[in-house]
Amino acid sequence: MKPITETDLVDYLGGELSAEEAHRVEAAVADDSALRAELEELRELMAEIKSAEEPTLSAAADARFETMLAAAMEQQGQATEMTTVRSLPPRKLYIRLFAAAAAILLIFAAGWYVGGAEDRATARQLAATRTLMLDLMKDSRPSARIQATTVSFDLPAADPQTIADLGHMLRTDESANVRLAALDALRRFPNEPAVREILLSAMNESPPDVVRFELIETLVRFNEKRVLPYLQDMIDADSLPRPVRDAAQMASFKLI
């Protein structure tokens, strides 16, 4: 007989199995005490997660998103469809909640938050917000990915994984507006070494000129002198537009 997996147990608790499959799980659980214990742990975990509010955008995140999207629309000179986070169907919501639960467990395991109910609530908020952010990052629409950056403003701390995700968007997203939104989110953490490394890395990866200007301005604001060699390379690069080289020259004067 095919062994019962954790996925089988999760689907059983979620009511996703056929009558025949459910009977197979019940029979296996009845004969296996370890499987019974695992089922109970999953049941308790799901009950705790389902009792929490579904991850949603805060009013502040909504406002930031609308401001960023309006700026992007004005810059592009064209209308962009507003993105909203709609309620997920039960199956997808269930998967999201279970993913959030897994994230919470990983946070505790890493020693991020320990202690009483207040700490557990903070960990739950962190996991739920990160889950929502990751959902939006995967969307094909630039407006949704911009919204992912605004969600990050609701995180209570400079979460390393979120910083890495924002850095990925800054360095690789095909939309300059998404990159600018990610940079705006990263600017909140000027004292985080990981953020500074991400900005320097982005400078070295030939970003669009509009992003390059903002990166230069941000690194000057951070008084990050390690950008000086990058600036000198830009000053000496005849292939770059004159405004870019002039901006690099001005930034170099400010940092020296």
Side-chain angles (χ1 to χ4, degrees), residues 224-245:
E224 179 51 75
K225 297 186 184 299
R226 288 181 297 167
V227 74
L228 285 169
Y230 298 96
L231 295 175
Q232 189 59 53
D233 288 344
M234 293 167 61
I235 293 168
D236 296 338
D238 294 336
S239 59
L240 289 178
R242 169 57 63 182
V244 174
R245 286 183 284 161

Side-chain angles (χ1 to χ4, degrees), residues 99-129:
I104 291 170
L105 293 178
L106 286 174
I107 291 168
F108 280 118
W112 267 74
Y113 293 102
V114 294
E118 183 177 349
D119 293 323
R120 289 194 295 273
T122 302
R124 185 179 293 111
Q125 177 192 356
L126 176 61
T129 303

Side-chain angles (χ1 to χ4, degrees), residues 113-206:
Y113 293 102
V114 294
E118 183 177 349
D119 293 323
R120 289 194 295 273
T122 302
R124 185 179 293 111
Q125 177 192 356
L126 176 61
T129 303
R130 183 191 294 163
T131 300
L132 178 57
M133 180 182 170
L134 290 174
D135 282 348
L136 292 168
M137 283 177 59
K138 296 173 185 176
D139 200 294
S140 61
R141 294 164 295 182
S143 56
R145 299 197 300 280
I146 289 174
Q147 199 168 21
T149 70
T150 70
V151 172
S152 73
F153 281 74
D154 289 332
L155 291 171
D159 169 43
Q161 184 57 54
T162 300
I163 288 176
D165 291 337
L166 290 169
H168 178 74
M169 285 194 286
L170 171 62
R171 293 192 306 268
T172 66
D173 201 279
E174 61 187 19
S175 167
N177 288 320
V178 175
R179 292 194 186 201
L180 290 172
L183 176 57
D184 190 54
L186 288 168
R187 282 189 181 120
R188 293 179 300 136
F189 310 115
N191 298 321
E192 287 291 330
V195 169
R196 290 171 176 259
E197 294 297 334
I198 285 170
L199 299 186
L200 290 169
S201 174
M203 279 288 296
N204 196 37
E205 295 177 7
S206 301

Side-chain angles (χ1 to χ4, degrees), residues 4 9 12 19-32 36 39:
I4 301 298
L9 296 178
Y12 172 75
E20 180 181 352
E21 291 171 329
H23 178 72
R24 183 173 72 88
V25 169
E26 290 167 354
V29 167
D31 291 337
D32 189 331
R36 258 195 321 277
L39 181 64

Side-chain angles (χ1 to χ4, degrees), residues 45-67:
L45 180 58
M46 287 178 58
E48 179 181 354
I49 297 303
K50 286 182 179 180
S51 67
E53 294 181 3
E54 179 183 356
T56 57
L57 291 174
S58 70
D62 266 336
R64 286 189 297 268
F65 165 63
E66 290 176 9
T67 299

